Structure formats: C-alpha cells, structure tokens
C-alpha cells in the first residue's frame, strides 16, 4: 500500500493483534483427514494455500487461510527482507486488521480498518524506527491521521468525518511550513483547496461556488504575492452541467474552463467566457457605473453583437456583421494554466521516502 492510497483511506482498536502475530504466527496445517472407508471421494477445500508473490511487491509469499465454510479469513505474509506480516479480513475479503513485524518480532505496523476501508487506528515505523504515520479516534466518530517526513517533521494532518463523509487534510513542507489544505467529500471528490508558496503566502484558492442561477461551478482564484486577486478560472463539465461536486460522487465528464475573471487593482473588471474547446465566445467588461459592456464573438473571432446591460438587467443592443466591431483578442496564455495538482505533496513525500530507503 503506497502512502497516497493510505492517506485517501486512513481514518484505526488493535489490542491483542500483536500477540496473535507473535505467538503461533505460521502454525498452520492443511486438513489431512482421509475420507471414510467406503464413502464417496469428495474433494475437500484446503484450509490454507500458498501464493508466491512477484518481487516488485516486496513480498516473498503469502499463506491464505480459510475457515470451514471456505471463506478466507487471514493472510500470513513473508516479506523479502525476512520480516512477517498478517492481514485479518472481513467476510467480503476487505482488510480488517494489518500487522507487520520487525525482525525482533516487535510491531512495525499496526492498522485497523472499518467496513468502508477507512483506517480507524494504528501506526507504522520506518526501518530505522522513526514514525511514518499514526492514527487515532478524535471525538464524535472522527479519526485523525498524522504523517511525518523522514526528518521527523509533520507532513500532513488528516481528519476524517464519517458522518459527513468529509476528509480535511493539512500538508506541511519538510521545513515545517504550511503547504496545502484540502477538503474532499465522498469518493475523494475535491471541494476546497488552499495552496501556499515557500514563504507561506496563500497563492491559490480552489472552491465550489454557486452562481445566481444556483448552478455550481469550480472556481480557482490565483493571488498575487501581496494577497490581492490576480485572476480566476471557473470550471464546468463538458456534460451534465448541473452536476454538484458537493454530492461526493465523481462526474465522469471532463472539466473545462468556462470563464476567466480579470482583475485590476484587486477588483474584478471583466470576464471572458469560453466554449468547451477553449474558444472565446463572449467578453464582459464591468464599468465603474455598474453597467456591463458585453461582446458576442463568432467562431471566426469576429464580434457581431455588442450589448450594454444595466444593473437592473435592461439591455441595449447593436448588431454588425461587416467587421466594424473588430476581432476579439485571444485569451492570454497565462490564464490557461491547468487545475492545481493536489497530488504534488504526496509525490514529493514519496520521493523523500525513496531517497531514505536508498540510503539504508
């Protein structure tokens, strides 16, 4: 299990599990009873079977244990480094408890999972016995998980709320500075993100926003170093436009930039609307008197309709198809940056972990 998968499932009561592992760890026998003389030769389900594991798994083999009904209940693991591990399973085959030992039989990893795959309590150490992560209950059914860089500084603090099905995570750089904050709901659907630069200045805010017609959009606001708005992007889906990310169910359709907000002196002064292919379709300019000047753009880039919209919604319109309104300027490339990559902290943490393992 890599750390990224662990963090999206972490959420861990293991009292007697280490004793189970340390005492009689591999005391398993295949049922060798012979059929009664004269009885039918009925094939018997073996109580255990061995699975040889590929080298890239880090394991040598697994011994799978079944109960009398043939349901797999445990998996005993021998790792390539000679250490031992144990999985206890729910009836559906999902992991209920996990343990891994050091060579001296002390516990290296211990984790307990609920029926939904969330870790409810546990911990894990590196080979040098520094703490990788720990998890513990935190009031009202919540679970807090903390992970640590190889240098011992905090990497993340994650709070899982099973009632709301939300997961809030704070990430920290290896020097202890705040790095990123995220909130996901349901099946790991991102609803909020705040990203900080190396000097702990807030530079990006990702959130679900609702327009006047109550249509949810994803807005990404980019900030200058002084904290003032630079520009924003509003995203929607290529289909199912009224889908709400707050539902927690992933939308299978592609996210695209629907519009870009332009700021001047920390004020929103205009918005450029785009097609699903990224073509400029409409340009709004917001005037100081509250009116909006709107230009409608054809696929050729020609502006053929200009409107003036008052704060009350009244409009005056002018049409021209001879090119007298000119061509719409292309959207600046700096406004076309992709969505923030929220996996960057995980990737850098994995790189640090790999470097640590390579040094051992």
């Amino acid at each position: 299990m890599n750390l990224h998968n662990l963090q999206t499932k972490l959420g861990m009561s293991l009292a007697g599990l280490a004793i189970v592992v340390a005492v009689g760890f591999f005391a398993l026998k295949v049922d060798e009873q012979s059929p009664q003389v004269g009885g039918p030769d009925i094939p018997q389900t073996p109580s255990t079977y061995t699975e040889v594991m590929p080298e890239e798994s880090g394991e040598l083999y697994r011994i799978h244990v079944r109960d009398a009904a043939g349901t797999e209940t445990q998996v005993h693991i021998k790792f390539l480094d000679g250490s031992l591990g144990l999985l206890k399973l729910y009836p559906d085959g999902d992991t209920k408890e996990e343990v891994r030992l050091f060579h001296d039989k002390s516990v290296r990893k211990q984790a307990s999972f609920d029926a939904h795959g969330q870790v409810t309590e546990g911990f894990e150490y590196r080979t040098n016995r520094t703490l990788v992560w720990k998890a513990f209950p935190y009031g009202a059914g919540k679970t807090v998980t903390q992970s640590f860089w190889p240098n011992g500084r905090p990497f993340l603090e994650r709070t899982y709320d099973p009632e709301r099905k939300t997961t809030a995570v704070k990430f920290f750089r290896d020097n202890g500075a705040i790095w990123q904050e995220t909130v996901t709901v349901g099946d790991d659907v991102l609803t909020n993100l705040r990203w900080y630069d190396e000097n702990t200045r807030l530079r990006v805010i990702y959130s679900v926003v609702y327009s006047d017609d109550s249509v949810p959009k994803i807005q990404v606001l980019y900030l200058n170093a002084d904290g003032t708005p630079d520009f924003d992007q509003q995203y929607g889906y290529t289909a199912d436009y009224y889908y709400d990310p707050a539902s927690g169910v992933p939308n299978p359709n592609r996210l695209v930039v629907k519009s870009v907000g332009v700021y001047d002196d920390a004020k929103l002064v205009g918005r450029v609307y785009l097609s699903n292919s990224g073509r400029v379709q409409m340009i709004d300019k917001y005037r100081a008197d509250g009116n909006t000047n709107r230009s409608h753009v054809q696929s050729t880039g020609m502006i053929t309709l200009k409107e003036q919209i008052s704060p009350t919604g009244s409009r005056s319109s002018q049409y021209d198809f001879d090119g007298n309104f000119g061509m719409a300027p292309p959207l600046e490339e700096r406004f076309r940056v992709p969505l923030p990559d929220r996996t960057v902290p995980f990737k850098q943490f994995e790189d640090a972990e790999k470097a640590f393992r390579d040094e051992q």
Side-chain angles (χ1 to χ4, degrees):
M1 180 186 299
N2 63 40
L3 184 66
H4 179 58
N5 290 334
L6 175 65
Q7 302 306 339
T8 58
K9 291 175 178 268
L10 282 175
M12 301 176 160
S13 302
L14 299 168
L17 191 53
I19 297 176
V20 173
V21 176
V23 179
F25 195 84
F26 284 100
L28 304 170
K29 293 184 179 180
V30 176
D31 186 355
E32 296 176 349
Q33 289 185 347
S34 301
Q36 295 184 0
V37 176
D41 187 9
I42 301 175
Q44 300 293 309
T45 300
S47 59
T48 68
Y49 69 93
T50 301
E51 177 187 12
V52 178
M53 301 300 292
E55 184 175 354
E56 58 268 21
S57 71
E59 301 174 9
L60 184 60
Y61 60 81
R62 292 185 167 201
I63 298 178
H64 299 258
V65 183
R66 293 171 171 161
D67 62 16
T71 301
E72 190 168 321
T73 59
Q74 295 184 7
V75 179
H76 296 250
I77 305 171
K78 182 69 173 288
F79 292 92
L80 289 175
D81 65 2
S83 63
L84 305 177
L86 172 68
L87 304 178
K88 286 190 173 184
L89 309 178
Y90 283 104
D92 64 1
D94 288 344
T95 301
K96 181 178 182 180
E97 297 174 350
E98 179 180 358
V99 165
R100 183 174 179 179
L101 303 180
F102 283 110
H103 289 96
D104 63 2
K105 300 301 187 290
S106 60
V107 180
R108 175 176 175 177
K109 179 180 181 181
Q110 213 172 43
S112 181
F113 299 82
D114 66 18
H116 304 289
Q118 294 288 338
V119 178
T120 58
E121 189 173 355
F123 58 85
E124 182 178 3
Y125 292 98
R126 297 180 179 86
T127 54
N128 67 348
R129 299 180 187 264
T130 58
L131 190 61
V132 182
W133 61 265
K134 65 179 179 180
F136 49 90
Y138 179 72
K142 297 179 182 179
T143 300
V144 172
T145 302
Q146 297 171 329
S147 296
F148 304 89
W149 291 97
N151 65 12
R153 293 183 184 274
F155 166 59
L156 68 75
E157 180 174 295
R158 172 190 181 277
T159 302
Y160 173 65
D161 186 336
E163 182 176 346
R164 297 182 178 180
K165 296 184 178 180
T166 58
T167 302
V169 185
K170 291 183 179 180
F171 296 85
F172 302 89
R173 299 179 187 273
D174 58 5
N175 62 1
I178 185 70
W179 189 354
Q180 183 173 284
E181 297 174 291
T182 63
V183 177
T184 59
V185 63
D187 298 330
D188 198 33
V189 177
L190 183 66
T191 58
N192 290 277
L193 179 147
R194 297 167 73 88
W195 181 83
Y196 302 82
D197 65 18
E198 292 81 357
N199 296 311
T200 70
R201 295 174 298 198
L202 180 61
R203 302 300 298 272
V204 180
I205 301 175
Y206 172 115
S207 56
V208 177
V209 298
Y210 295 85
S211 57
D212 294 339
D213 55 4
S214 298
V215 176
K217 297 182 179 69
I218 292 172
Q219 178 173 280
V220 185
L221 175 63
Y222 292 87
L223 304 174
N224 297 307
D226 62 1
T228 58
D230 183 13
F231 67 95
D232 74 61
Q233 299 169 317
Q234 289 192 354
Y235 284 79
Y237 290 88
T238 53
D240 195 10
Y241 185 69
Y242 291 92
Y243 162 81
D244 189 349
S247 68
V249 178
N251 189 317
N253 299 293
R254 182 169 58 94
L255 268 175
V256 294
V257 180
K258 295 290 187 177
S259 71
V260 173
V262 181
Y263 292 75
D264 183 34
D265 196 23
K267 295 181 180 179
L268 182 65
V269 296
R271 184 164 295 278
V272 180
Y273 296 85
L274 307 174
S275 69
N276 286 347
S277 63
R279 178 179 63 81
V280 175
Q281 288 184 311
M282 190 166 66
I283 302 172
D284 280 353
K285 292 184 179 180
Y286 307 132
R287 293 173 19 182
D289 60 6
N291 290 303
T292 298
N293 290 340
R294 175 169 292 175
S295 298
H296 295 261
V297 184
Q298 300 300 310
S299 59
T300 60
M302 181 186 295
I303 299 172
T304 56
L305 169 61
K306 285 190 172 184
E307 294 182 292
Q308 181 171 299
I309 306 172
S310 72
T312 61
S314 62
R315 299 168 182 253
S316 61
S317 304
Q318 289 182 297
Y319 292 87
D320 182 87
F321 296 93
D322 297 323
N324 293 320
F325 292 156
M327 304 291 287
L331 184 67
E332 293 181 43
E333 284 302 313
R334 74 183 191 93
F335 296 143
R336 295 185 181 273
V337 295
L339 279 167
D341 184 356
R342 63 182 172 122
T343 67
V344 167
F346 288 114
K347 292 174 182 176
Q348 294 199 18
F349 184 89
E350 291 293 341
D351 289 344
E353 285 288 284
K354 182 180 183 302
F356 166 80
R357 291 191 296 269
D358 291 345
E359 291 175 358
Q360 302 306 300

